[in-house]
Amino acid sequence: MSDPSTIAEPTAVAPAAPGVPRRRRRGSGGRGLVITGAVMLVVMLLVVALGPLIAPYPAAQTSPESLAGPSAAHWLGTDSIGRDVLSRMIIGGRSTLLITVVAVALALLAGLVLGLLAGYLGGVVDQVIMRVLDVLFAFPAFLLAIAVVAALGPTIPNLILTIAVVYTPRLARVVRGPVLSVKRWDHVEAARSVGVGEFTLVRRHVLPMVISPILVETSLTLSRTIFTVTALSFLGLGPPPPDPNWGGELSSSRQFMELAPMNVIAPAAAIVFATLTFIVLANGLREMLDVTGRR
Amino acid sequence: MAQVDVPDVPEMAGAPAPLLQVRGLTAEFTSRGQQVPAVNGIDFEVRAGESVGFVGESGSGKSVTARCVMRLEPEGSSISVGGSVRFDGRELLTLSEPAMRDVRGKRIAMVFQDPMTSLNPVLTVGAQVDDMLRRHTSLSRAAARRRTVELLDLVGIHEPGRRADDYPHQFSGGMRQRVLIAIAVSCEPDLLIADEPTTALDVTVQAQILRLLVRLREELGMALMLITHDFGVIAGMVDRVYVMYHGDIVESGPVQDILTSPRDAYTRSLIDAVPRLTATGRGR
Amino acid sequence: MRRVVLVRLAWAVPILVGVSLVAFLLVRALPGDFAQQLAGTAPGATPEVLQEMRHNLGLDQPIWVQYWDWLTHALRGDLGTSFTTQRPVTSELFGRLGVTAELTFIAAIMAMLLGVTTGLLSARLRGRVDWAVRGLNGFLVAVPNFVVATLIVLLVGLYLPQLSIFSYTPLTTDPLANIGSLLLPALSLALAISATISENTRAAVLEVSSQDFVMVARAKGLRPRTVLGQYLVRNALTPVITVTGLEYAALLGGSIVIESIFNIPGMGQLLFDSVTSRDYPVIQGIVLLVALIVVLVNVAVDVAYARVDARVSYE
């Protein structure tokens, strides 16, 4: 998937000439985007969390009206064996979002630990960790995910673990950067020389620097994960039935797509909505927190 | 502050009109809905072959004035210009853009302040002189190339033939400014505007560049409009001086008169600001 | 300059070794092996037969021996033999690689054309055009390529049913039909990436426009065409090209799904099939090859970037 992080933060044409200040305005448009993204996120989470309670029909309930268009009874129509599309979308979001959130949380944790270790300890530890991560970086994330999931078997824990491993390197890198620069700050050196404990140093100086880029990168990772999870389930490597999931629904809708276009549009819209939520959040956070992009 | 109304050059009957005659020039920036005046209705003139200095601190409006003469508004900013700028009898402010493009470079040329950022990084130095020649003259490719090398030699670049194929990053600041001067004089303009040409350079290089400008002026007979914040640069370079402050011309006159007996307190402070190496410290 | 290239390439070597190791171990660490897969389908597959098969394929050797064996052969260009088809892996890959390469290449060109044009228009025209383009870009980036592909298939099915889009024609059979059959798949891949390129172009053009040398170009009285082409675009394009290079990994990854949707016999399809059948040599070959391409592209991007930097910043 095209990397959304390169969107708002392009690589520089020319490093700013000496004496010419780089123009960066903090905050103005960012807040609006963050609010929008947050609202979208809350709506999505609510709908999905309340899933079975608000879905008009059980996801697995079939009916004789198959491939029906939108109607009062079925707002988004029905699929090939008469199941309500709207309900399947609502319920389907659960596994998708569950895998996404948990996987990214794990990746975040691992990334924080590795990044802090690499950045803080520096030297050999840093080199080793970074080289190992570089190796992981050499694989297109999706390729790696497919290979592992296809072979290990597409269970939810496997999916979560694979995705977490795939996205850890990037998060580790994002953490490492600020850590490396903060380490060299004069007042950190000064504090250290007076005997301030390392842990306190990390907590008070390093972590605040790291939080902003981490927030942005995590949002981006969430959007990429949605892509990976839905793509995997599209290929049949997602959470196994009977639970519906967006990617799988999109794939199976292809069979009778001309007869029931809504079967295609519904999961497509759901996937786009989820991805958009995190991208909007990421861009808003980036503008608001004045985070400079990589390279 | 109102402009001091002193005729700086006696109007002789039958004397040719000034090359550049500016009357009532105003320039206003629109920033966040507010009008910010930069130039408040100034009058000045430059005669053919004459060398005129514009002195003032940053924010005095001197650079804006130069850009107005060339009609070079910075991209993306909104600036409204009023008044009259007559060059060689033609009113420039109402000239069509294509016609103005024919004036720029060919009749009026400009050298900017920062040589480090004024050259296109992806074109060779020779190509940047060349595209100027090809635009304004009818020289063939071979002839333009020869002229390019000549020009680079003229401004003091060693091994001009070889260096013409080098890229800007292979030149020092002083060298780049020489190249920019070569570009500016390449089509033998009637008027050369130099906007703080030495400010970004080392002190030793500054003197070299100024000497270069003097020499070129003599050889090509151009008029020169030298803009600077440093009176020390002006002395020996120009015939007349205009002193600008907050968008107005507060004093003007022959350079010697100004230097020896400035009438305006601001002018005096500018002159005093020039460091002098005398045993008795500050003084004239 | 040359040093930068050499350093980058030098670093690429241990990375590639690591990559080969991961590719190898990844595959071997997976439960079930080729012999077992076959046991599921073929009758008469007694444990003894399976064991003999394993021995023949060298699967009963210690894992380090297997790795070394494979690596040394790979360095000589021999990636082993496919378990399923008994043909050399390299020839299996070669044909498929060409198809995927063609697909991703066309997609890259499309993305650049679309992206640069809209980005340029957006930056120069500003106002409503800018707003519209940016809005569109923001949206496009959120639509995964397989969703685009499925929607395209839907639209074609509904409104242009006479168009046959699942018929891939090899290049050698009919070049025109070949390219035609790859257009829609390439478009699916290209759209999201074109949005990224568009934004980058726009930002680069805006940034370059405010640079001194552009003002100097105008002061020289050069024609707008010259200023745009030689001064503006030539400088704005460099970051765009580097970004496109970086996106190439995404293109490769994305092609896997797209190939499956449009029935294109590329590496993605091969990967899928060989994973299902546990055809180790093929899987290893693909993973290694793709990683190799990505690493090389990244090195190229690094080098290109270093070149731009050298030009622009004065040492």
Side-chain angles (χ1 to χ4, degrees):
Chain A
M1 163 167 139
S2 159
D3 188 346
S5 76
T6 39
I7 265 239
E9 213 50 57
T11 48
V13 168
V20 175
R22 271 299 189 83
R23 273 165 294 143
R24 260 193 217 299
R25 277 179 10 254
R26 266 185 177 264
S28 37
R31 202 163 298 133
L33 286 176
V34 172
I35 294 180
T36 313
V39 166
M40 287 168 79
L41 181 62
V42 166
V43 164
M44 204 168 56
L45 288 177
L46 270 179
V47 166
V48 153
L50 296 176
L53 298 174
I54 58 174
Y57 301 82
Q61 178 176 310
T62 61
S63 79
E65 319 153 24
S66 61
L67 299 176
S71 64
H74 299 278
W75 287 6
L76 293 178
T78 61
D79 70 358
S80 55
I81 47 179
R83 298 178 291 194
D84 178 46
V85 171
L86 177 62
S87 309
R88 288 183 72 77
M89 284 304 108
I90 294 175
I91 310 276
R94 309 189 103 205
S95 54
T96 310
L97 288 177
L98 176 74
I99 296 174
T100 303
V101 169
V102 177
V104 173
L106 282 178
L108 183 58
L109 197 62
L112 265 174
V113 168
L114 285 174
L116 280 173
L117 278 178
Y120 213 70
L121 296 178
V124 172
V125 175
D126 180 30
Q127 286 301 313
V128 166
I129 294 184
M130 277 302 119
R131 291 311 138 216
V132 169
L133 293 182
D134 270 345
V135 169
L136 282 179
F137 258 122
F139 298 92
F142 193 53
L143 179 76
L144 203 56
I146 286 189
V148 175
V149 171
L152 284 179
T155 64
I156 292 192
N158 284 346
L159 281 164
I160 292 179
L161 223 67
T162 313
I163 292 176
V165 166
V166 162
Y167 287 113
T168 299
R170 202 167 234 167
L171 284 165
R173 230 185 222 189
V174 168
V175 170
R176 177 176 169 267
V179 172
L180 279 180
S181 55
V182 167
K183 224 179 29 166
R184 300 196 193 107
W185 281 1
D186 289 334
H187 68 263
V188 172
E189 285 288 348
R192 190 181 288 127
S193 65
V194 214
V196 177
E198 293 294 327
F199 197 66
T200 322
L201 279 179
V202 168
R203 192 165 45 85
R204 199 171 290 150
H205 295 281
V206 175
L207 280 185
M209 275 297 286
V210 162
I211 285 190
S212 296
I214 271 287
L215 274 179
V216 174
E217 191 68 29
T218 307
S219 303
L220 288 173
T221 307
L222 282 165
S223 71
R224 292 181 198 121
T225 311
I226 298 268
F227 167 79
T228 310
V229 171
T230 48
L232 283 173
S233 28
F234 185 87
L235 288 177
L237 293 172
D243 281 334
N245 59 74
W246 291 342
E249 289 302 291
L250 186 67
S251 180
S252 53
S253 74
R254 290 184 292 166
Q255 209 182 0
F256 298 108
M257 56 161 59
E258 289 93 5
L259 298 174
M262 191 48 85
N263 285 14
V264 175
I265 296 178
I271 296 174
V272 171
F273 185 82
T275 316
L276 203 56
T277 304
F278 295 117
I279 291 184
V280 165
L281 262 178
N283 285 339
L285 281 170
R286 183 191 275 137
E287 256 196 66
M288 209 172 85
L289 300 170
D290 192 26
V291 174
T292 43
R294 299 169 288 133
R295 265 217 240 154
Chain B
M1 254 188 258
Q3 187 213 340
V4 177
D5 195 15
V6 173
D8 33 21
V9 179
E11 292 281 350
M12 297 188 295
L19 180 64
L20 178 69
Q21 190 171 60
V22 177
R23 294 277 177 267
L25 180 67
T26 58
E28 260 185 354
F29 285 98
T30 315
S31 170
R32 288 185 199 151
Q34 287 201 319
Q35 307 283 87
V36 179
V39 180
N40 299 331
I42 58 174
D43 298 351
F44 66 90
E45 51 193 43
V46 179
R47 296 184 169 271
E50 198 186 15
S51 178
V52 175
F54 273 76
V55 187
E57 292 172 321
S58 24
S60 58
K62 52 193 201 304
S63 288
V64 177
T65 303
R67 311 251 162 141
C68 289
V69 170
M70 293 275 276
R71 280 189 43 200
L72 278 180
E73 298 83 43
E75 288 241 357
S77 72
S78 48
I79 170 173
S80 52
V81 180
S84 153
V85 174
R86 296 191 77 85
F87 177 77
D88 200 18
R90 269 204 303 188
E91 173 60 53
L92 291 185
L93 293 185
T94 54
L95 209 57
S96 74
E97 182 61 21
M100 192 66 213
R101 279 200 287 272
D102 286 332
V103 171
R104 291 192 199 112
K106 190 167 167 61
R107 309 294 309 280
I108 312 179
M110 192 154 161
V111 176
F112 293 82
Q113 174 173 338
D114 191 351
M116 302 302 276
T117 56
S118 293
L119 286 170
N120 186 342
V122 300
L123 291 182
T124 62
V125 146
Q128 299 186 50
V129 179
D130 192 76
D131 64 17
M132 180 79 151
L133 292 170
R134 310 276 273 144
R135 163 78 176 97
H136 293 296
T137 70
S138 50
L139 290 174
S140 70
R141 209 146 57 123
R145 168 76 191 191
R146 278 195 298 273
R147 182 85 186 114
T148 297
V149 175
E150 270 172 31
L151 283 163
L152 289 177
D153 187 44
L154 184 66
V155 296
I157 306 254
H158 292 309
E159 295 185 61
R162 189 176 64 84
R163 293 290 262 164
D165 295 325
D166 281 343
Y167 287 88
H169 71 273
Q170 294 168 282
F171 290 76
S172 70
M175 286 289 150
R176 290 192 214 192
Q177 194 64 303
R178 289 176 192 266
V179 169
L180 287 160
I181 291 174
I183 291 175
V185 305
S186 61
C187 301
E188 303 194 20
D190 301 310
L191 171 66
L192 177 66
I193 305 178
D195 186 0
E196 306 261 19
T198 55
T199 308
L201 301 172
D202 291 336
V203 174
T204 42
V205 180
Q206 282 186 18
Q208 294 170 8
I209 296 295
L210 290 174
R211 272 200 294 275
L212 174 63
L213 282 175
V214 168
R215 179 163 66 85
L216 286 176
R217 226 199 96 221
E218 282 166 8
E219 285 185 32
L220 301 173
M222 305 177 295
L224 175 67
M225 213 172 120
L226 181 59
I227 299 173
T228 177
H229 63 276
D230 186 355
F231 251 109
V233 165
I234 284 286
M237 288 287 296
V238 303
D239 308 318
R240 287 188 298 121
V241 174
Y242 290 95
V243 179
M244 283 192 75
Y245 178 72
H246 277 2
D248 297 296
I249 293 181
V250 299
E251 186 157 3
S252 58
V255 66
Q256 277 313 309
D257 293 356
I258 300 277
L259 282 177
T260 48
S261 43
R263 243 163 294 148
D264 190 83
Y266 177 67
T267 314
R268 210 171 298 135
S269 65
L270 277 182
I271 296 174
D272 284 343
V274 180
R276 268 171 248 273
L277 296 173
T278 62
T280 50
R282 270 167 146 241
R284 274 188 254 141
Chain C
M1 192 53 239
R2 220 137 303 197
R3 266 197 64 215
V4 178
V5 179
L6 287 178
V7 165
R8 267 357 218 98
L9 281 177
W11 266 122
V13 170
I15 291 180
L16 284 174
V17 170
V19 163
S20 70
L21 196 62
V22 170
F24 184 85
L25 288 178
L26 191 75
V27 164
R28 297 310 160 109
L30 305 177
D33 64 355
F34 182 73
Q36 214 166 22
Q37 281 299 103
L38 223 53
T41 49
T46 62
E48 293 82 29
V49 172
L50 289 181
Q51 196 51 31
E52 187 178 331
M53 216 174 4
R54 285 200 192 96
H55 180 77
N56 286 341
L57 292 172
L59 288 176
D60 53 351
Q61 306 253 11
I63 202 139
W64 298 109
V65 176
Q66 291 188 48
Y67 174 65
W68 185 252
D69 204 39
W70 175 71
L71 186 64
T72 43
H73 277 98
L75 286 176
R76 264 178 271 144
D78 172 16
L79 286 169
T81 317
S82 159
F83 288 171
T84 25
T85 65
Q86 295 304 309
R87 289 172 56 218
V89 172
T90 27
S91 65
E92 290 276 321
L93 284 185
F94 198 64
R96 302 289 189 132
L97 176 64
V99 175
T100 302
E102 198 194 349
L103 175 64
T104 49
F105 184 68
I106 296 179
I109 302 279
M110 269 190 190
M112 280 186 74
L113 281 176
L114 272 173
V116 171
T117 322
T118 54
L120 198 58
L121 284 174
S122 180
R124 300 302 286 170
L125 297 180
R126 308 309 302 268
R128 224 165 295 175
V129 173
D130 191 17
W131 194 80
V133 169
R134 297 203 79 192
L136 188 64
N137 285 341
F139 183 71
L140 279 179
V141 114
V143 185
N145 49 37
F146 62 93
V147 172
V148 174
T150 311
L151 288 173
I152 288 182
V153 173
L154 174 68
L155 286 174
V156 167
L158 285 178
Y159 301 114
L160 294 167
Q162 66 274 23
L163 205 66
S164 62
I165 48 178
F166 294 117
S167 48
Y168 170 77
T169 327
L171 191 62
T172 43
T173 316
D174 181 357
L176 223 60
N178 167 264
I179 296 188
S181 64
L182 288 179
L183 281 181
L184 285 178
L187 184 66
S188 323
L189 274 177
L191 272 183
I193 295 182
S194 80
T196 310
I197 294 181
S198 176
E199 286 293 309
N200 275 281
T201 305
R202 175 187 177 278
V205 170
L206 283 180
E207 169 121 14
V208 175
S209 304
S210 62
Q211 298 261 9
D212 285 345
F213 62 83
V214 174
M215 169 87 82
V216 170
R218 289 171 57 211
K220 283 158 80 170
L222 296 177
R223 292 207 178 82
R225 220 184 332 135
T226 319
V227 178
L228 188 70
Q230 295 294 318
Y231 288 74
L232 214 55
V233 172
R234 272 187 75 163
N235 278 282
L237 269 190
T238 358
V240 170
I241 292 180
T242 51
V243 164
T244 312
L246 291 173
E247 290 287 320
Y248 196 70
L251 274 178
L252 274 183
S255 71
I256 296 177
V257 191
I258 300 296
E259 281 173 19
S260 133
I261 294 179
F262 288 97
N263 238 328
I264 296 175
M267 284 203 310
Q269 247 195 20
L270 184 64
L271 175 70
F272 205 58
D273 296 338
S274 51
V275 167
T276 326
S277 60
R278 299 285 190 280
D279 193 344
Y280 297 153
V282 177
I283 306 177
Q284 281 159 206
I286 294 180
V287 173
L288 186 66
L289 186 61
V290 170
L292 178 71
I293 294 176
V294 170
V295 168
L296 285 178
V297 168
N298 282 338
V299 169
V301 164
D302 274 350
V303 168
Y305 197 77
R307 255 192 99 201
V308 175
D309 258 7
R311 267 197 192 147
V312 170
S313 59
Y314 175 66
E315 228 61 75

